[in-house]
Amino acid sequence: MDFKDQLKQLGDRVARLKDQIQTEEATKNAFIMPFIQCLGYDVFNPMEVTPEFIADIGIKKGEKVDYAIIQDGKPTILVECKHWSTDLNPHNSQLFRYFHCTSARFSILTNGIHYKFYTDLVEPNKMDEKPFFEFYIDDLKENQTEKLKEFHKSYFDLDKILTTASELKYTNEIKNIIAGDLNEPSDEFTRYFAKLVYPSSVTARVLEQFKGLLKKSYHQFINDTINERLKSALNTQQQQEVKEEPAETEILTGEDAKIVTTEEELEAFHIVRSMLRQKINAGRIVFRDTQSYFGILLDDNNRRPLCRVHLNGKRKYLSLFDKDNEERIEIGSVDDIYDYAEQLMKAAVKYDPVIAEEKK
């Protein structure tokens, strides 16, 4: 299982189990230790991950950080943990003190769901007040996964990460400023655009009028951009399907063209791919959505169905394939797909017996 799928599986686990986690210690064991493992570190080797790491502060002895990730015998990353339901915003001061007393260049404040990464870009050996990188493990974006990969033990490069940290810090702050100004435009921001298009002097009345116009223009621009990209992606996909299998391709019009792939269907796809990729190259496992079902295929071939899921009705079903027969099984949730890993692998091997040897 590659790094991306490990994080996806952890995110699914967190979303599924969090309501059962009652203590901070349970949060560490169920969510945070698995995250550190995803980064390639052995949480059971104190030479790599030291729990309750001592960070003495002046005359105050015995102060402890929840975890310290060790490289070359020295702490590189400090990890301070809270219960998953805790708001992290008031809790960085303790980590700030620990950071100053160690040689670590990075620190993480987390509740197992929300992660905040800090370093010392403003002043050496003094943790910045604002994180340079933060994310939610149960809603991890593609670009965030790539940034996080730099912290993996196999790819860790201090200079490269510090360069990335500097870029992230300022791009995130600029994005926040833009987001704030577009939600509630400031006078200065509004005046800049008003002067570009308004022929007369920008009075207070004109300025107030342009604040509403600016917000409206921004949302229209975003919607138009998204619609154009979706239209382009849909056209490309349809052209590819027609090219590959013209005999089986149906050109949809009207209501039939309005196929919406749901998050639950994508979750089912990721579950199947994460289970099968232990023996099958992930690129061979793809999905195709239709009006009546969501199909998961081997080699993007309709004649090689691995399974189909039906999730849009009152009841949910998983269809498995044995020879030419389709067996439909009622499931309670997409998590139940994990129970059918063996049948899914048998379906794949049926189409391509070489798969059994592919990743040995």
Side-chain angles (χ1 to χ4, degrees), residues 179-203:
D181 265 324
L182 290 173
N183 287 325
E184 293 297 333
S186 64
D187 289 351
E188 185 178 13
F189 188 69
T190 306
R191 185 174 284 105
Y192 170 77
F193 287 97
K195 284 184 176 180
L196 293 176
V197 297
Y198 192 69
S200 303
S201 60
V202 179
T203 63

Side-chain angles (χ1 to χ4, degrees), residues 190-290:
T190 306
R191 185 174 284 105
Y192 170 77
F193 287 97
K195 284 184 176 180
L196 293 176
V197 297
Y198 192 69
S200 303
S201 60
V202 179
T203 63
R205 183 183 63 79
V206 171
L207 195 64
E208 193 62 31
Q209 179 185 5
F210 264 87
K211 285 184 179 181
L213 293 174
L214 187 56
K215 289 176 66 174
K216 185 176 181 179
S217 299
Y218 166 70
H219 290 299
Q220 287 181 351
F221 171 76
I222 293 297
N223 289 336
D224 290 345
T225 301
I226 291 174
N227 288 334
E228 285 299 319
R229 290 188 179 182
L230 288 175
K231 187 187 299 183
S232 176
L234 181 61
N235 289 338
T236 300
Q237 181 181 358
Q238 289 175 339
Q239 291 170 7
Q240 185 69 16
E241 290 176 355
V242 170
K243 181 179 179 181
E244 291 182 355
E245 297 191 41
E248 295 188 18
T249 300
E250 179 182 3
I251 299 176
L252 303 177
T253 59
E255 292 297 319
D256 290 340
K258 298 179 180 180
I259 298 173
V260 178
T261 301
T262 66
E263 290 186 9
E264 194 174 32
E265 288 171 334
L266 290 175
E267 183 179 358
F269 169 67
H270 286 299
I271 288 173
V272 172
R273 190 170 67 163
S274 68
M275 291 190 297
L276 297 186
R277 69 177 304 138
Q278 298 176 30
K279 292 189 176 180
I280 304 174
N281 290 328
R284 300 184 65 183
I285 305 169
V286 303
F287 70 82
R288 291 191 190 180
D289 202 356
T290 71

Side-chain angles (χ1 to χ4, degrees), residues 53-268:
F53 181 79
I54 296 176
D56 291 336
I57 304 171
I59 61 173
K60 193 173 183 181
K61 305 298 181 183
E63 291 291 302
K64 296 176 180 179
V65 187
D66 289 307
Y67 298 103
I69 296 175
I70 309 297
Q71 290 191 357
D72 299 325
K74 297 180 180 180
T76 304
I77 305 173
L78 305 180
V79 185
E80 180 69 13
C81 309
K82 302 297 176 185
H83 182 257
W84 69 265
S85 64
T86 301
D87 182 0
L88 296 182
N89 288 327
H91 291 286
N92 65 346
S93 58
Q94 188 177 15
L95 192 55
F96 182 92
R97 297 196 304 271
Y98 295 153
F99 188 91
H100 181 69
C101 299
T102 72
S103 60
R105 295 301 305 276
F106 303 100
S107 57
I108 302 173
L109 177 62
T110 180
N111 58 15
I113 300 176
H114 188 189
Y115 285 79
K116 292 187 173 187
F117 282 61
Y118 296 85
T119 187
D120 54 353
L121 295 174
V122 177
E123 188 175 338
N125 200 33
K126 184 178 180 181
M127 193 181 88
D128 297 337
E129 292 184 6
K130 296 180 180 179
F132 68 87
F133 180 42
E134 58 183 306
F135 60 86
Y136 292 84
I137 193 69
D138 57 349
D139 187 26
L140 196 60
K141 306 299 188 293
E142 185 82 25
N143 65 316
Q144 293 173 332
T145 300
E146 291 303 312
K147 296 298 182 185
L148 189 54
K149 193 172 184 179
E150 295 183 11
F151 285 89
H152 193 281
K153 179 182 176 182
S154 301
Y155 308 103
F156 192 90
D157 182 323
L158 179 61
D159 293 335
K160 181 179 180 181
I161 296 176
L162 287 173
T163 299
T164 300
S166 179
E167 293 176 356
L168 283 173
K169 172 182 171 65
Y170 295 115
T171 54
N172 286 338
E173 289 187 7
I174 291 171
K175 283 165 58 180
N176 289 336
I177 292 172
I178 292 174
D181 265 324
L182 290 173
N183 287 325
E184 293 297 333
S186 64
D187 289 351
E188 185 178 13
F189 188 69
T190 306
R191 185 174 284 105
Y192 170 77
F193 287 97
K195 284 184 176 180
L196 293 176
V197 297
Y198 192 69
S200 303
S201 60
V202 179
T203 63
R205 183 183 63 79
V206 171
L207 195 64
E208 193 62 31
Q209 179 185 5
F210 264 87
K211 285 184 179 181
L213 293 174
L214 187 56
K215 289 176 66 174
K216 185 176 181 179
S217 299
Y218 166 70
H219 290 299
Q220 287 181 351
F221 171 76
I222 293 297
N223 289 336
D224 290 345
T225 301
I226 291 174
N227 288 334
E228 285 299 319
R229 290 188 179 182
L230 288 175
K231 187 187 299 183
S232 176
L234 181 61
N235 289 338
T236 300
Q237 181 181 358
Q238 289 175 339
Q239 291 170 7
Q240 185 69 16
E241 290 176 355
V242 170
K243 181 179 179 181
E244 291 182 355
E245 297 191 41
E248 295 188 18
T249 300
E250 179 182 3
I251 299 176
L252 303 177
T253 59
E255 292 297 319
D256 290 340
K258 298 179 180 180
I259 298 173
V260 178
T261 301
T262 66
E263 290 186 9
E264 194 174 32
E265 288 171 334
L266 290 175
E267 183 179 358

Side-chain angles (χ1 to χ4, degrees), residues 24-80:
E24 182 178 303
E25 196 64 29
T27 301
K28 294 179 189 177
N29 293 334
F31 299 162
I32 299 170
M33 287 177 65
F35 173 77
I36 296 174
Q37 285 182 309
C38 285
L39 295 181
Y41 298 98
D42 183 356
V43 295
F44 301 108
N45 180 358
M47 302 302 292
E48 283 196 12
V49 180
T50 303
E52 298 296 306
F53 181 79
I54 296 176
D56 291 336
I57 304 171
I59 61 173
K60 193 173 183 181
K61 305 298 181 183
E63 291 291 302
K64 296 176 180 179
V65 187
D66 289 307
Y67 298 103
I69 296 175
I70 309 297
Q71 290 191 357
D72 299 325
K74 297 180 180 180
T76 304
I77 305 173
L78 305 180
V79 185
E80 180 69 13

